[in-house]
Amino acid sequence: DSGVTQTPKHLITATGQRVTLRCSPRSGDLSVYWYQQSLDQGLQFLIQYYNGEERAKGNILERFSAQQFPDLHSELNLSSLELGDSALYFCASSVGGYGGELFFGEGSRLTVL
Amino acid sequence: DQQVKQNSPSLSVQEGRISILNCDYTNSMFDYFLWYKKYPAEGPTFLISISSIKDKNEDGRFTVFLNKSAKHLSLHIVPSQPGDSAVYFCAAMNKGTYKYIFGTGTRLKVLA
């Protein structure tokens, strides 16, 4: 158990809909990262927050947004969903935003029909 | 632009032998590298890391080698065990940024 909690574990929805994925980092970790893994692809970096502020941005679509709240949990919002958004979405946390290892949650599997 | 590449999608090794997983990178600004292991239906778990000031780091059966001039790193697992069967990801970061860039993974199968 990494200590990172992601909900929901599975989500099935239709094209055009909007979903929210939630992540609670390990106790004491200030930094949260979001990754997308499609089929047998690698982990694509989406976005990173550190203590409530956006610190780094990757290949995140404009239809996607994220935030980190004062209690350090984070949410990834995916809107106007398309079939190609079906993927595993991982959240990871670390102590700080600068080096060190990432601790991953078990992921949220999104299926868009 | 895939800055971190794992060119072997899969690898099969006999139990007790050495497993060697390879990773190449293109960004010379990367200065910290990590290996993760992923079992099905689980998140990736950290295995071992190496800073660019070193060329080797060991942790039990796992050793990571870094060749900066070739922009290449490798993970050696000795001896390989059936429980090592998983997908292995290498990752790289530039400590001047906050991005961990992952490769596409190599599926290792250790045959009993």
Side-chain angles (χ1 to χ4, degrees):
Chain A
D1 182 6
S2 68
V4 178
T5 303
Q6 288 188 248
T7 57
K9 286 193 176 356
H10 300 276
L11 189 56
I12 301 175
T13 188
T15 55
Q17 296 298 305
R18 172 190 167 95
V19 298
T20 297
L21 309 179
R22 182 188 168 102
C23 170
S24 294
R26 289 189 324 155
S27 177
D29 283 357
L30 298 178
S31 190
V32 169
Y33 296 73
W34 285 98
Y35 285 85
Q36 179 193 56
Q37 185 183 24
S38 303
L39 291 173
D40 287 325
Q41 299 294 308
L43 296 159
Q44 297 295 320
F45 171 68
L46 295 178
I47 197 163
Q48 185 226 353
Y49 283 85
Y50 177 75
N51 204 20
E53 292 186 6
E54 181 185 308
R55 274 294 177 88
K57 217 166 187 176
N59 301 322
I60 187 166
L61 299 172
E62 286 190 11
R63 299 184 286 109
F64 296 179
S65 65
Q67 56 183 324
Q68 186 180 27
F69 294 86
D71 66 353
L72 301 177
H73 91 271
S74 178
E75 292 181 357
L76 179 67
N77 300 295
L78 314 174
S79 61
S80 302
L81 285 168
E82 302 175 358
L83 296 177
D85 297 327
S86 296
L88 259 175
Y89 291 86
F90 286 104
C91 168
S93 73
S94 69
V95 173
Y98 200 76
E101 65 179 275
L102 299 181
F103 294 87
F104 281 84
E106 294 185 348
S108 293
R109 181 173 293 281
L110 172 66
T111 302
V112 182
L113 300 175
Chain B
D1 177 26
Q2 190 67 29
Q3 297 184 67
V4 179
K5 300 177 185 179
Q6 294 177 257
N7 293 319
S8 298
S10 63
L11 174 68
S12 290
V13 172
Q14 208 65 35
E15 181 180 7
R17 306 296 290 268
I18 184 171
S19 294
I20 300 176
L21 297 99
N22 294 303
C23 180
D24 297 295
Y25 61 95
T26 58
N27 189 341
S28 58
M29 297 299 291
F30 288 147
D31 53 11
Y32 187 64
F33 304 88
L34 310 91
W35 282 94
Y36 280 79
K37 177 169 70 174
K38 185 181 180 304
Y39 293 119
E42 295 183 11
T45 55
F46 171 76
L47 268 179
I48 193 168
S49 63
I50 188 167
S51 167
S52 60
I53 62 173
K54 294 185 174 182
D55 54 18
K56 178 182 173 182
N57 188 26
E58 280 183 83
D59 184 0
R61 296 186 298 115
F62 302 92
T63 302
V64 56
F65 294 92
L66 176 62
N67 182 333
K68 289 185 289 293
S69 60
K71 295 192 181 68
H72 177 84
L73 65 155
S74 60
L75 175 68
H76 292 210
I77 307 173
V78 184
S80 301
Q81 300 173 354
D84 296 328
S85 297
V87 177
Y88 289 78
F89 292 97
C90 66
M93 80 172 303
N94 171 357
K95 282 190 174 177
T97 72
Y98 302 94
K99 301 181 186 181
Y100 291 78
I101 306 300
F102 282 78
T104 51
T106 296
R107 185 178 302 275
L108 173 66
K109 188 171 184 180
V110 180
L111 307 169

